[in-house]
Every structure is written in C-alpha cells, then in structure tokens.
Amino acid sequence: MVALSNGLIATAQDVKAYVRINTDQIEGTNKEIYTELSNDLTEFINSRRWTDATFSDEERIECNFVITLEKAAGENYSGQLQVQASRPVFNSGYNTTLFNFLDKNLQFNYTQYQKLEFDENTYENNLLSTIAFYVNIIVGLNFDSFSRYGGSRYYEKAEMIVSLAQGSNDVGWKAFDSDRNRYALVSNYQDERLKKLRDIIYEYHRFGLDEMVNSVEKGRTNIFNNMPYLKEMNRAVPYSIALQLFVESKMNELLDMFKPATSKEKKDLYDILQGILPTQTNKFQELLN
C-alpha cells in the first residue's frame, strides 16, 4: 500500500495505469523485488488524486509505463522508461494515442519493502518525481484534447517538479542537457511559439476524430485544415520535441485516415509531416503511393 504525503490512502481516482518492469537485461537478481516495485508504482499512480475532476471508471485516463532496467548495482538502478497514454474517441470503440515517449535517462534508488511516499512540493525521490512528471503531462494532454488549453494547470505541475529537481544531480531534468529530456518536454508545451499545437490537439480530437462518428469527411477536413500550422511552428521552433511527439503518436492514424484523400492533400500532408519528422520519410511515402 502506498502512503501519500498527508498520511491518507486514496481510493481509485482519475488515472488507470499499468506499470511493468522489464528485467531481461538484469541477471542473477531477486525478481521478487521487481514485482513489488511494479505493484507499488501501479498503486502509487492509481490511488492518487491527480485532478479535481470527476471521472467514471470508463473515463479514467489510461496509460502504460514500462521500465526497462539495464543496470542494477545494490540499490541503484538505471535504464529506460517508455510512457504511453491513449484517449477514447467519442461514440466508438477506438482509442487514439495521446502520448508515446521513451525516456532514456532513468536512474533511481530502491530498496525492497521501501515505503513509497511522494510530496509534490518537494524533491526527494527521483523515481516518483519522474513518474509524477509524466502523469501530469499525460493528464495535461488529455484535458487539452477535451477543452481548449484545459491542461494548463497540469503542465504547471510538471514544470514545478522539474524546477524542484534542479538542485539534484539526477539526469533528465536540466535545461540544455538534451532537447528530448523532461525539461525540454514541459518547456515545449508552455512555449508561446508552440501554443498553436495545443489548439491543434483540441481541434484534432474534438472536431476531427470525435466528429468522425457523424461525418468521416468533415472530421478529416477539420484535421487537414490544421496541419499547415504544424509547418509554421516547425519553422519557428525546429526539432521541437512536442511537435515530433504529436506526429509520431498520430502517424499511423493519419496515414490510414488520408488514404481516400486527394493527391494534392496527400502531397501537402507528406511535406508537412516529413518536415517535422524526417527520420520517418520512408513511412510517409505511403501517402504518395
């Protein structure tokens, strides 16, 4: 059971998370400790109240955390963290990817039977602060997808976690260490030059995907009309992690969605997506075939 900083044990709330520990690269260690850690982290996320909103069980924000351990030395661990989250599309059985990110700089200390405690106003546990950071990013994106700029409060919470971590020597939190770390990520979502991305997140989901239950053509047109703004933002902030993550998360969805589009629409979309994510040029070629 995970205790919160106020000593209370919260009941099921607004996030439904699944945490898995991959130990394939770790040999000769007590596997029981990883099962315990996985269970404790899952409970930490699912039992904590992350928002003030009321969610029914089927409305809870679904996300997955996969920790792949690469090194274990006593109580010190390092590896990677894959974070994924999805959102249901209105009146359908389809879930669309909101967030899919690989954090390559996960380092933490953990002792078996350790009581996991977290206070959002202090930085004491790198692992819990990292998990809480990503939960707030996910919640922010979810709220942005349902109401324009609805996720602001949660990006601010994520930014606070980053700020509190600045006094530590833990990796992944510092400005300018990387353009794909936690600092860069939350900075992008709050960058005025990228504010239109949050409009697109809202428009894409509410007037694009959610509209498709009524009219596929109308929903696709609404999405297509927002795509040029991605190009403008990419020109203003080249190699933006937030832009790249948006395109990565929606890539397969867009390719499938625009199969029946006109040749010009496909070419325009190809130019926009390829410009943001040139590493996937071959994948985007499917639009032109």
Side-chain angles (χ1 to χ4, degrees):
M1 187 68 71
V2 178
L4 305 185
S5 59
N6 57 9
L8 300 177
I9 302 299
T11 55
Q13 310 294 347
D14 33 29
V15 174
K16 183 184 290 184
Y18 304 90
V19 180
R20 184 167 67 89
I21 313 293
N22 183 334
T23 62
D24 291 348
Q25 299 180 51
I26 306 295
E27 297 181 359
T29 56
N30 175 14
K31 300 296 183 178
E32 182 182 317
I33 190 173
Y34 304 119
T35 300
E36 177 187 318
L37 177 59
S38 173
N39 292 338
D40 281 354
L41 289 176
T42 299
E43 187 176 2
F44 164 66
I45 299 170
N46 292 344
S47 65
R48 189 176 180 85
R49 186 89 184 172
W50 299 95
T51 78
D52 294 329
T54 300
F55 288 76
S56 63
D57 186 63
E58 60 271 15
E59 291 172 334
R60 291 171 69 191
I61 303 166
E62 294 195 10
C63 49
N64 294 287
F65 293 77
V66 179
I67 297 173
T68 299
L69 295 179
E70 297 170 340
K71 293 181 181 179
E75 298 173 356
N76 300 314
Y77 300 89
S78 63
Q80 301 185 351
L81 172 64
Q82 184 80 45
V83 186
Q84 299 172 314
S86 61
R87 169 203 191 276
V89 173
F90 182 69
N91 276 354
S92 78
Y94 177 70
N95 280 4
T96 181
T97 301
L98 269 180
F99 186 71
N100 188 3
F101 180 62
L102 178 63
D103 186 324
K104 297 182 178 180
N105 293 303
L106 183 66
Q107 297 178 5
F108 63 95
N109 300 325
Y110 179 72
T111 306
Q112 191 169 16
Y113 310 123
Q114 175 182 340
K115 186 177 181 181
L116 299 185
E117 296 183 302
F118 177 72
D119 183 344
E120 64 181 11
N121 296 311
T122 62
Y123 180 83
E124 297 177 347
N125 185 308
N126 183 50
L127 178 58
L128 293 188
S129 288
T130 299
I131 296 293
F133 169 84
Y134 283 114
V135 172
N136 278 297
I137 292 292
I138 288 166
V139 172
L141 288 168
N142 182 272
F143 274 67
D144 269 359
S145 78
F146 283 104
S147 63
R148 202 178 300 274
Y149 312 130
S152 297
R153 178 183 179 188
Y154 306 101
Y155 300 133
E156 290 169 2
K157 286 189 173 187
E159 183 184 42
M160 177 60 71
I161 293 172
V162 170
S163 178
L164 291 170
Q166 293 306 298
S168 76
N169 293 319
D170 295 322
V171 296
W173 300 107
K174 297 292 196 300
F176 312 118
D177 279 356
S178 167
D179 58 3
R180 288 185 69 87
N181 68 1
R182 293 159 222 146
Y183 179 96
L185 183 62
V186 73
S187 296
N188 268 210
Y189 287 124
Q190 295 184 300
D191 191 327
E192 281 296 315
R193 296 170 299 171
L194 296 170
K195 189 173 183 179
K196 189 63 183 178
L197 175 60
R198 295 180 61 192
D199 283 299
I200 292 173
I201 291 170
Y202 174 66
E203 300 270 346
Y204 183 101
H205 293 93
R206 289 297 291 121
F207 301 111
L209 294 183
D210 287 347
E211 179 62 34
M212 286 187 174
V213 68
N214 299 315
S215 170
V216 172
E217 184 65 33
K218 184 177 179 181
R220 186 172 64 233
T221 298
N222 288 338
I223 287 174
F224 181 78
N225 289 341
N226 275 283
M227 292 296 100
Y229 295 115
L230 292 176
K231 188 174 184 178
E232 291 178 13
M233 286 183 287
N234 189 48
R235 191 178 297 117
V237 188
Y239 310 112
S240 157
I241 181 177
L243 288 179
Q244 290 180 348
L245 287 179
F246 178 79
V247 172
E248 286 174 355
S249 67
K250 301 303 184 185
M251 179 168 56
N252 291 328
E253 195 169 82
L254 286 166
L255 293 177
D256 186 59
M257 187 188 308
F258 281 86
K259 282 180 180 177
T262 66
S263 296
K264 183 181 185 308
E265 286 175 332
K266 291 179 179 180
K267 178 61 167 62
D268 289 347
L269 186 60
Y270 168 84
D271 290 340
I272 293 167
L273 300 182
Q274 186 273 338
I276 294 171
L277 209 59
T279 58
Q280 295 295 329
T281 296
N282 289 340
K283 181 72 173 177
F284 296 138
Q285 283 283 349
E286 293 179 23
L287 282 165
L288 306 181
N289 296 337

